[in-house]
Amino acid sequence: MRYGSPTVQALEALKAPEALETMSSAESGWDERIERARALAAEHAAAAGILTFYASLAGYQRSLCCRPPQSWGPFSHFFQTVDLDGASAAVPDFLAWLQEAAPEPLASAATAMLRLERQEWRQLMDRWLTQPDVDHGDLDDRPRADDAMTFVMEAVVQPFTEAAAIAWRADGGPKPSAPDVRAPRCPICFGRPVVAILREEGHGARRTLLCALCLNEWEFPRVVCPACDEQRFDALPVYTADVFSHVRIDACDSCKRYLKTVDLTKNGLAVPLVDDLASVALDLWAHEQGYRRLRTNLLRTAEVQSQE
């Protein structure tokens, strides 16, 4: 596994006035997610519980997103720029919040996890982030018994990885891959995409992938499977549903994986992370057809719903 090499200036950039403006934009991103989740919860009764919880969760994550790193120094790869000391320190309060705000069985799992010390969380996060052979949240690699712990780590770390990615880009770090360079993983943190996005460009639409971990976007060819690199048009079916005309399933018949795409050319109000949660019915349909999601979302909605 190869990592980039950010400079100390990349993190120092967080303290500069222009970086503060960038971090303010990050806060606005959380505000958009919260507002969109509340709006969709009122429109889609089937996903109202999920969306209402996510709106509260995103509000909590927003409170973490602008915490400055607790230490500065030379770093060799991206994950060493992530403030895991700050993230691990935030876990106890987050678990207490989950006890009150989360549905069962997550609330009970949060109570059980309170026994872990801060340093244990620090070690778990470091191992979870830096193991190259583990796909964070992948259905094949993540043990069922650790679902709740994985959720806690991802929910807490996500605002910190986003902040580190913003600093990384501000220092002229890796730019999104060119469309003819098929990079199925995030060029910053090497994470898998949680959703694809279509935006209007010229007379067509440009496809980007959204990293599940650091929320970075990078360009990716439209007719290529990001799981197995399949490029044959007839092996890449697209499925849609009338209720979510701007969200679709981009499937691959070669590897039987799929990725959801949010088409902003059809609905400019959509917020990809949130509209993905709202359209859980598409995930259930895809699972019934034998497809597996390339990367689960934060709430693992398709898995939770399919087990009920």
Side-chain angles (χ1 to χ4, degrees):
M1 180 175 179
R2 298 177 59 188
Y3 296 95
S5 300
T7 64
V8 176
Q9 287 75 21
L11 294 182
E12 290 288 354
L14 278 174
K15 298 185 286 187
E18 60 272 16
L20 294 178
E21 182 178 349
T22 302
M23 296 305 292
S24 178
S25 297
E27 279 194 302
S28 298
W30 290 105
D31 290 338
E32 289 177 0
R33 294 163 201 154
I34 294 166
E35 182 179 350
R36 180 65 172 169
R38 289 171 177 167
L40 289 178
E43 297 176 12
H44 301 283
I50 292 169
L51 292 165
T52 300
F53 174 63
Y54 177 76
S56 297
L57 173 62
Y60 197 98
Q61 289 180 298
R62 183 188 185 281
S63 72
L64 302 175
C65 74
C66 285
R67 289 190 181 185
Q70 297 179 357
S71 60
W72 305 85
F75 303 99
S76 60
H77 60 69
F78 172 75
F79 287 130
Q80 287 182 302
T81 73
V82 179
D83 181 20
L84 293 185
D85 289 330
S88 58
V91 170
D93 286 345
F94 180 62
L95 292 175
W97 178 83
L98 285 177
Q99 286 180 295
E100 300 296 326
E104 291 293 350
L106 183 56
S108 295
T111 301
M113 285 185 281
L114 282 169
R115 62 181 172 78
L116 293 176
E117 300 291 336
R118 171 180 169 178
Q119 189 56 34
E120 292 179 278
W121 281 109
R122 176 65 173 79
Q123 293 170 354
L124 286 168
M125 289 176 176
D126 185 67
R127 186 163 62 247
W128 177 67
L129 283 174
T130 58
Q131 282 185 332
D133 295 328
V134 176
D135 294 318
H136 313 307
D138 185 270
L139 294 177
D140 297 329
D141 305 317
R142 182 169 40 78
R144 280 276 169 211
D146 294 336
D147 272 4
M149 186 175 291
T150 301
F151 164 76
V152 168
M153 288 191 290
E154 185 171 345
V156 172
V157 168
Q158 190 178 69
F160 291 88
T161 53
E162 182 184 29
I166 289 172
W168 179 231
R169 292 193 301 268
D171 190 52
K175 299 292 188 286
S177 302
D180 60 342
V181 179
R182 294 190 295 274
R185 290 180 180 265
C186 174
I188 292 182
C189 76
F190 207 65
R192 282 188 170 183
V194 66
V195 69
I197 304 167
L198 290 178
R199 290 186 174 86
E200 188 173 351
E201 183 176 74
H203 297 292
R206 175 172 60 95
R207 184 192 197 191
T208 60
L209 304 183
L210 179 65
C211 179
L213 190 59
C214 73
L215 306 183
N216 176 56
E217 281 188 50
W218 70 101
E219 288 190 49
F220 195 80
R222 288 192 60 175
V223 189
V224 176
C225 172
C228 71
D229 202 41
E230 176 63 76
Q231 300 173 55
R232 292 177 299 145
F233 186 80
D234 58 356
L236 300 171
V238 173
Y239 302 101
T240 61
D242 291 340
V243 67
F244 291 103
S245 60
H246 66 292
V247 183
R248 73 190 200 192
I249 295 288
D250 282 328
C252 177
D253 286 336
S254 294
C255 66
K256 302 303 288 186
R257 292 278 188 164
Y258 77 91
L259 184 67
K260 286 167 80 174
T261 294
V262 178
D263 191 342
L264 298 182
T265 70
K266 294 183 177 180
N267 187 339
L269 297 177
V271 177
L273 281 179
V274 183
D275 288 59
D276 171 34
L277 297 173
S279 56
V280 63
L282 291 177
D283 291 284
L284 299 181
W285 181 88
H287 280 239
E288 291 172 355
Q289 308 310 308
Y291 296 111
R292 292 181 302 159
R293 185 162 171 146
L294 175 59
R295 208 289 190 182
T296 57
N297 58 42
L298 176 60
L299 298 187
R300 278 74 173 152
T301 49
E303 296 175 66
V304 172
Q305 295 285 324
S306 62
Q307 293 171 24
E308 293 180 349

